[in-house]
Amino acid sequence: MIEIEGITKRYDATTVVDDVSMVIEPRTIAVIVGTSGSGKTTLLRMINRLVEPTAGVIRLDGADNRSLPGYELRRSIGYAIQGHGLFPHRTVAQNIATVPVLLGWDAARIKRRVDELMTLYQLDPQAFGPRYPHELSGGQQQRVGVARALAAEPNVLLMDEPFGALDPIIRNKAQEDLLAIQKRFGTTIILVTHDMEEAVHMGDKIAVMDAGKLVQYAKPAEILAKPASAFVETLVGASEKPFRLLSLGRVRDAVETGTAEGEAIPGDASQRDALAELLWSGRPALPVKGADGKPLGRVTVDGLVKRAASPA
Amino acid sequence: MTIRFDKLGVVIAAIVAYAAFAAPFATFRANRIVPGEARSILEALPAMLGPLLLAVIVVAAVVALLKTPLILRLAASVVALAALALLIGVAGSFLTPEGNSFARISPASGFWLLIFAFTLLLADVLTRLNLSPWARIGVLVVAAAAIGMLLVSGSWNSLSILKEYANRADSFWAEGSKHVTLALGSLAAAVIAGLPLGILCHRVEKLRAGVLNVLNIIQTIPSIALFGLLIAPLGWVATHVPGAASLGIRGIGTAPAFVALFLYSLLPVVANTVVGLAGVPRAANDAARGMGMTDRQRLFGVEFPLAFPVILTGIRIVLVQNIGLATIAALIGGGGFGVFVFQGVGQTAMDLVLLGAVPTVALAFAAAIILDAVIEMTSTRRPEAQPA
């Protein structure tokens, strides 16, 4: 659990982060969204003390984050940034091993962990381990960056626009990979982004920052349904709201009894994808199949449209 | 079939044509200080060898002029250079009258131009071959060995520059080692002082402009003026600081030369350290901090290795510059190859000037090639980079 209490950061006269308090539950993903200059990155960097706060306390599992020297604290917290920040003069394996080496793990344990992470990220350790970062594609570099952040099995992972430099297709894949890995390791993730779509997709909770203040901190559905201010409303994008709401739900939760013609859509797909498919094919209903391929029922345009309406 | 010309080849062929047919190949002088008489290739060499050399040169020039395969150009330049190197020695013994030890035979402008033209061709071929760093050092070693063998074999002994050497063999090596000590010692001192200063300038922004400006100003002081400026303070140190004089610190001699070279070396070392550190990707630095490296670990683990090629470039500049500048140290009694240069100027004996200048140029040239190769090796860390 991460407790942020009354955190403020001032540079001379400018207040960059203004009295922010929030609690991030263990094993969840909290996404901090805001425009540039909203203080979201500074807030993130105060958690691992790359930036020292002017006032306030941050507790990690109950312990003040100032109880350790900064560099020791940072070794226990994963850190991944935009443009990955890989060391160009070190191989992929050496890059991933950075924190374990700092922690003084023995060579066999480091190798095991590096191989495990590379396999997890679909990079063959034999083929990719000895390569240098510039020999990888953008998507591969990003995966190595996240693998490096996870190397020492941290409970907490801080990510600053980790997918910002990726093209849309690779970004989608990277987001899915991160969700899968978060489930597997149960890591608490705090992710900074300016992309509301990414926030809604990834976040268990979303924190919206504006001019240093925390404007709203709530579940994605609530942010979409009841934006706390005009700023949040703009950030969500009024015309996008119904689609974002649908993208939160799975098709299997919208299944109605009955049958329909055509190719079945998997129950895991998002309701937004189902609606898109319905509109595009011009049909009133689609059959739905479970993970085992058995029919579950159908989704209808009418049913989805009701779900996209404002809950208020 | 159309004949196509090589652009650089046109220049080379023009130089060769002038040098081989219009310029003198060797100079004959009755003794070492009188003005010389020019000798063309045909006059300077025994019966068959003159036309043979001309033929080799003309063929090589034609190879250079036309668009020809690299391997042929390489062969042409090497054969031409080897023929010139061997035959200038032959010209030396051929032109020297029997039993006359005063006469001096030296290579003349035509010879030097021919050497220049074919070295240009060779350098062009080597660049186009895109050799690996190790291969370039290999070429340097082979060239040095070939020149060394010619020197040892005595085939150049009849040339004036080697006669000057024969008269001064002992002092040549003594001054040579002094020259190298001055150049390398001041470089080492500059690296020891300049690296920390550069790191400090990188970390403390307020210092940067001040330090770099001071070093810039020092760099613009003419070397002779700097030597002069140092006489007074070092003389004062020698007389007032106990033990200083016994360490060899005096107003003239090696100490001011060393200090001046050190001061000149500081700017490239400090500036390149600052530039190199500034060029470290921000993201890499941020990631290093974010993952829990201490400042020292970050400096030695990330910043330094990444800045290293740029810092090495600074060191390369300094080394080549120092090898050249150390020549001036002789003016204030600092020794080095400059001793021969200034003696030669004083006696109007150009061969003696060359005895000081040629080794200096050769040293600087070799240092540049070696350090360039090292820089390339450190900056391209590709695992599949094939060793030569």
Side-chain angles (χ1 to χ4, degrees), chain A residues 45 74-75 79 89 132 148, chain B residues 286-287 289 292 297 301 381:
Chain A
R45 290 164 73 91
R74 289 192 278 274
R75 287 173 194 175
Y79 186 62
H89 62 300
Y132 285 82
R148 182 175 69 171
Chain B
D286 187 40
R289 282 190 67 209
Q297 287 166 335
R381 293 159 178 272

Side-chain angles (χ1 to χ4, degrees), chain B residues 8-380:
Chain B
L8 184 67
V10 174
V11 178
I12 290 172
I15 297 175
V16 169
Y18 169 78
F21 297 103
F25 183 67
T27 311
F28 171 85
R29 280 170 299 167
N31 63 56
R32 67 193 281 257
I33 54 174
V34 296
E37 301 156 29
R39 296 280 190 272
S40 73
I41 290 180
L42 292 177
E43 295 164 338
L45 289 168
M48 286 310 293
L49 287 176
L52 181 68
L53 178 61
L54 273 182
V56 168
I57 288 170
V58 169
V59 169
V62 170
V63 169
L65 180 65
L66 303 176
K67 281 209 186 291
T68 40
L70 278 184
I71 191 74
L72 191 59
R73 300 173 81 79
L74 179 70
S77 62
V78 170
V79 168
L81 284 172
L84 284 167
L86 281 170
L87 292 180
I88 192 69
V90 174
S93 14
F94 178 69
L95 289 175
T96 309
E98 201 73 34
N100 182 338
S101 62
F102 300 111
R104 288 286 194 271
I105 314 300
S106 47
S109 61
F111 172 80
W112 294 119
L113 279 173
L114 287 169
I115 290 285
F116 168 73
F118 290 114
T119 309
L120 200 61
L121 179 62
L122 180 61
D124 179 54
V125 172
L126 292 178
T127 315
R128 288 203 219 168
L129 281 174
N130 216 347
L131 292 177
S132 74
W134 280 114
R136 294 208 301 267
I137 292 182
V139 170
L140 177 68
V141 169
V142 169
I147 294 172
M149 265 159 54
L150 279 171
L151 285 172
V152 172
S153 70
S155 62
W156 282 346
N157 280 357
S158 53
L159 293 178
S160 57
I161 180 169
L162 284 177
K163 288 195 171 161
E164 297 290 351
Y165 166 76
N167 291 337
R168 294 178 176 74
D170 292 340
S171 69
F172 178 85
W173 291 106
E175 298 300 350
S177 78
K178 210 180 260 182
H179 195 100
V180 172
T181 315
L182 261 180
L184 288 184
S186 58
L187 168 67
V191 170
I192 291 168
L195 281 185
L197 193 57
I199 293 165
L200 198 68
C201 286
H202 173 69
R203 292 271 158 105
V204 188
E205 205 160 331
K206 283 176 194 159
L207 262 177
R208 199 177 306 162
V211 170
L212 289 180
N213 278 336
V214 169
L215 293 178
N216 255 322
I217 291 169
I218 292 176
Q219 201 77 5
T220 60
I221 303 176
S223 46
I224 294 182
L226 188 56
F227 287 137
L229 286 175
L230 286 169
I231 290 176
L234 285 175
W236 187 88
V237 168
T239 44
H240 290 83
V241 178
S246 61
L247 281 173
I249 296 176
R250 280 176 301 147
I252 58 165
T254 314
F258 190 91
V259 173
L261 289 178
F262 165 76
L263 289 175
Y264 283 132
S265 310
L266 269 183
L267 178 70
V269 173
V270 174
N272 279 50
T273 307
V274 170
V275 171
L277 290 176
V280 174
R282 269 178 69 102
N285 239 328
D286 187 40
R289 282 190 67 209
M291 281 186 298
M293 289 194 184
T294 60
D295 276 357
R296 172 193 282 261
Q297 287 166 335
R298 191 159 54 92
L299 180 65
F300 290 106
V302 177
E303 292 187 300
F304 235 58
L306 288 178
F308 194 59
V310 182
I311 296 175
L312 259 188
T313 310
I315 290 175
R316 174 199 179 283
I317 296 171
V318 168
L319 185 56
V320 174
Q321 167 189 295
N322 275 7
I323 290 174
L325 267 181
T327 317
I328 319 242
L331 265 188
I332 50 164
F337 284 128
V339 168
F340 304 119
V341 174
F342 290 112
Q343 276 179 9
V345 170
Q347 302 171 6
T348 65
M350 287 323 286
D351 304 319
L352 192 50
V353 174
L354 285 180
L355 183 63
V358 171
T360 311
V361 172
L363 271 180
F365 191 66
I369 290 179
I370 291 171
L371 277 175
D372 276 341
V374 174
I375 290 167
E376 196 179 316
M377 279 188 257
T378 54
S379 55
T380 57

Side-chain angles (χ1 to χ4, degrees), chain A residues 64-141:
Chain A
D64 190 327
N65 73 349
R66 285 166 298 185
S67 55
L68 283 175
Y71 61 89
E72 278 184 36
L73 172 80
R74 289 192 278 274
R75 287 173 194 175
S76 67
I77 299 177
Y79 186 62
I81 54 177
Q82 176 168 18
H84 60 72
L86 294 178
F87 303 136
H89 62 300
R90 295 195 181 169
T91 63
V92 167
Q94 287 168 340
N95 262 290
I96 296 177
T98 304
V99 184
V101 167
L102 289 175
L103 291 172
W105 289 13
D106 63 68
R109 185 177 170 203
I110 293 177
K111 180 164 180 352
R112 253 199 330 273
R113 180 64 177 163
V114 169
D115 286 357
E116 180 193 358
L117 280 166
M118 291 190 69
T119 314
L120 195 62
Y121 266 106
Q122 300 126 45
L123 296 165
D124 176 21
Q126 251 72 50
F128 286 93
R131 293 207 195 162
Y132 285 82
H134 70 89
E135 298 169 290
L136 306 185
S137 72
Q140 289 167 338
Q141 290 172 343

